[in-house]
Amino acid sequence: MSCHILCLVILLALALTTAETQAPRAALERPNFVLFFVDDLGYGDCGFTGHPTTQTPNIDKLAWNGKILTTWYSGCSVCSCSRAALLTGRQYGRYGMQPVLGPTDRYGLNLDEVTIAEQLKRVSYTTAIVGKYHLGQRLAYLPGNQGFDYYLGIPYSDDMGNGKYSTCNSSSHDATKREFSTTRQQATDSGTK
């Protein structure tokens, strides 16, 4: 199956509307919630939805052993805004998000926006995101500053340049920030951006 695959894996569980009003449940009482948010994947592109030639046994197994939701309306038709809408539950235009962020953009998802990861942390969940983040590639906008405990992925589309794996461990943010500043200064000194 050839398509840009984004595997946003978020360990989620409670409805946002009740996240602040309920006391945290014991770990054994809290279900894991895995959400796949995939670019360029149509409804019928996987085996479990009936594609006649594509074989997706691992995705099929997850689907058959979980909950299959068949109705979805994305918050936008392009990458950055659809992710922002998914993570915040808000329309992207209400907080100034641009449709697609590129590798040279200096802004990202507004840090004042509350994400589902931040809501889940309030009820003692551990959160992770894997794959293309595409909500700002500067250190301040990476997943560690938006409520995620773990991140493995690229900050923008792999067809937009050198997609680098980056970590988001917020405890190492200052060290990473210094490293980024040094790299940026070296790039400026050499005349590249």
Side-chain angles (χ1 to χ4, degrees):
M1 190 161 93
S2 65
C3 64
H4 295 296
I5 299 241
L6 150 80
C7 289
L8 263 188
V9 179
I10 306 173
L11 301 175
L12 309 170
L14 300 173
L16 287 177
T17 57
T18 61
E20 290 185 51
T21 59
Q22 291 182 351
R25 295 196 280 177
L28 294 176
E29 295 178 6
R30 294 181 305 176
N32 289 328
F33 185 103
V34 179
L35 174 67
F36 288 88
F37 194 59
V38 183
D39 285 354
D40 304 323
L41 181 69
Y43 173 80
D45 291 347
C46 294
F48 77 92
T49 56
H51 195 278
T53 59
T54 300
Q55 295 180 3
T56 56
N58 294 325
I59 294 172
D60 296 349
K61 186 176 179 181
L62 286 170
W64 294 129
N65 291 307
K67 181 79 171 165
I68 301 171
L69 305 174
T70 58
T71 302
W72 173 262
Y73 292 100
S74 182
C76 187
S77 62
V78 292
C79 301
S80 299
C81 289
S82 61
R83 284 168 178 72
L86 175 71
L87 292 180
T88 65
R90 297 184 65 209
Q91 294 176 330
Y92 68 92
R94 292 183 177 256
Y95 48 91
M97 188 70 183
Q98 297 300 310
V100 178
L101 299 178
T104 59
D105 288 328
R106 298 181 180 275
Y107 55 89
L109 179 62
N110 187 324
L111 297 174
D112 292 333
E113 290 298 320
V114 178
T115 67
I116 193 167
E118 292 168 311
Q119 290 283 24
L120 289 167
K121 288 188 78 58
R122 291 179 184 174
V123 290
S124 303
Y125 269 85
T126 300
T127 58
I129 186 167
V130 177
K132 181 174 76 171
Y133 181 62
H134 217 167
L135 291 172
Q137 59 113 2
R138 302 291 184 212
L139 291 172
Y141 301 109
L142 289 177
N145 293 316
Q146 298 285 11
F148 290 96
D149 297 306
Y150 301 97
Y151 168 49
L152 174 65
I154 56 176
Y156 48 84
S157 291
D158 61 355
D159 61 355
M160 291 182 152
N162 296 324
K164 269 177 112 171
Y165 285 100
S166 55
T167 63
C168 78
N169 183 348
S170 53
S171 65
S172 65
H173 177 71
D174 291 338
T176 309
K177 188 175 182 180
R178 284 191 298 275
E179 179 183 303
F180 176 79
S181 296
T182 303
T183 304
R184 179 155 168 57
Q185 187 59 46
Q186 290 168 350
T188 302
D189 293 345
S190 67
T192 61
K193 292 186 179 184

